[in-house]
Amino acid sequence: MSKPVIACSMRIKNVAMWIGDSLSETSKLADHIVILDDGSTDNTPSICRKFPKVRYYRQFCSISDQVRDKNKLLKYTLALNPDWVLALDGDEVLEKKAASKILDEIAEIDPQNPQHTIFRLRLLYFWNDLNHYRNENSKWGQFWKDALWTTWGQNLNTLQFLPSGFAENHHCGRIPKGIVGNRKDIDVWVKHYGYVYFWQRKQKAEFYLRTEKKPSYLNLINGNAEKGMILEEWKERV
């Protein structure tokens, strides 16, 4: 079987701190990287355009809506006829062994009758610095997410992102609704940098409080999110 076509889709905004590293690692795996930039005002656009595999789209919308944007991104991605689609955020970086591991897993899948159609990857929440990640038995330390799915055996016309019920359709998920088949956790780690520094956590807590009116996000800055925290030193796996 010839190498399957892999596309990566990203909805991003103001991720200049991380997007270069993210695209460098993702380019080792993906044939196409489809980016929808929701109005970045930092150096994100110029960094993205340096990578030849990137198909870059930029928009400026007065109202934020994740479902609207992710359905638009899905349309752009499926137009490339990928066999597999990887969904990442702009503040996420694949570990160095990710490309070979994912290709090994895909090689085990039967395109005519896929045993698994969704792969779940482990997100490592880096905390306080770039050398340590959360590794306790909590939602922060053991966080697995649907992130890679195949078009094999799917009715692509029925796939879509649906309203989440949250303000601005936050938390609508990484992959579209309507994918049929089984999930599998695979031993691939993704370095998630969106909560590394306290100022980032404070910014997110205030954003969600303002948009969703939910004080629970204040746990990010009042210490509750760190109860029982175990920090593990990061070392690339080979």
Side-chain angles (χ1 to χ4, degrees):
M1 182 181 71
S2 59
K3 179 184 178 297
V5 176
I6 301 173
C8 177
S9 63
M10 293 183 172
R11 177 185 182 269
I12 65 173
K13 183 175 183 177
N14 290 337
V15 286
M17 291 178 67
W18 322 113
I19 192 64
D21 290 340
S22 180
L23 294 176
S24 292
E25 290 302 321
T26 304
S27 294
K28 298 175 183 178
L29 171 70
D31 301 282
H32 310 288
I33 304 172
V34 186
I35 290 178
L36 178 60
D37 186 333
D38 192 27
S40 288
T41 55
D42 61 5
N43 290 331
T44 296
S46 60
I47 297 172
C48 290
R49 293 185 176 113
K50 293 178 181 178
F51 290 84
K53 291 186 176 181
V54 166
R55 294 172 179 257
Y56 179 79
Y57 301 88
R58 195 179 188 191
Q59 67 178 18
F60 293 91
C61 296
S62 58
I63 298 176
S64 178
D65 187 326
Q66 284 192 16
V67 169
R68 174 200 64 203
D69 294 348
K70 289 193 174 184
N71 278 321
K72 186 184 295 186
L73 188 56
L74 178 65
K75 179 181 177 181
Y76 295 154
T77 304
L78 292 181
L80 300 172
N81 297 313
D83 297 298
W84 289 81
V85 179
L86 172 66
L88 290 179
D89 290 340
D91 55 10
E92 294 174 346
V93 180
L94 294 171
E95 64 173 325
K96 293 189 182 300
K97 78 168 212 169
S100 60
K101 180 64 176 177
I102 288 173
L103 290 174
D104 287 345
E105 292 285 352
I106 289 176
E108 298 296 322
I109 301 297
D110 180 359
Q112 304 303 318
N113 185 25
Q115 310 93 305
H116 301 96
T117 57
I118 298 172
F119 288 151
R120 286 161 43 93
L121 313 184
R122 185 185 175 191
L123 271 61
L124 304 185
Y125 277 83
F126 279 70
W127 210 267
N128 296 333
D129 61 51
L130 302 182
N131 297 314
H132 295 87
Y133 63 93
R134 302 281 296 262
N135 197 31
E136 73 276 3
N137 187 22
S138 74
K139 70 175 183 179
W140 301 101
Q142 305 296 324
F143 196 88
W144 292 78
K145 198 75 172 177
D146 293 346
L148 181 63
W149 60 278
T150 183
T151 60
W152 293 336
Q154 306 299 320
N155 182 351
L156 302 183
N157 294 323
T158 65
L159 303 184
Q160 61 178 320
F161 290 90
L162 300 176
S164 67
F166 294 93
E168 300 181 7
N169 278 314
H170 295 151
H171 320 299
C172 72
R174 290 175 181 250
I175 68 173
K177 304 295 183 183
I179 299 174
V180 298
N182 299 316
R183 287 173 168 79
K184 180 183 179 183
D185 293 354
I186 64 173
D187 186 26
V188 173
W189 294 357
V190 182
K191 296 178 282 186
H192 184 82
Y193 292 128
Y195 291 79
V196 172
Y197 302 117
F198 180 82
W199 66 264
Q200 289 177 292
R201 301 195 289 270
K202 184 174 185 293
Q203 193 176 68
K204 287 179 183 291
E206 293 173 346
F207 171 78
Y208 285 122
L209 181 64
R210 182 174 67 253
T211 57
E212 296 183 14
K213 314 301 181 186
K214 290 188 175 183
S216 58
Y217 291 101
L218 294 176
N219 289 338
L220 286 169
I221 54 177
N222 64 16
N224 287 338
E226 297 187 354
K227 288 182 177 178
M229 179 175 66
I230 297 175
L231 292 179
E232 190 85 21
E233 183 178 2
W234 168 252
K235 294 179 181 179
E236 285 283 356
R237 302 189 297 168
V238 295

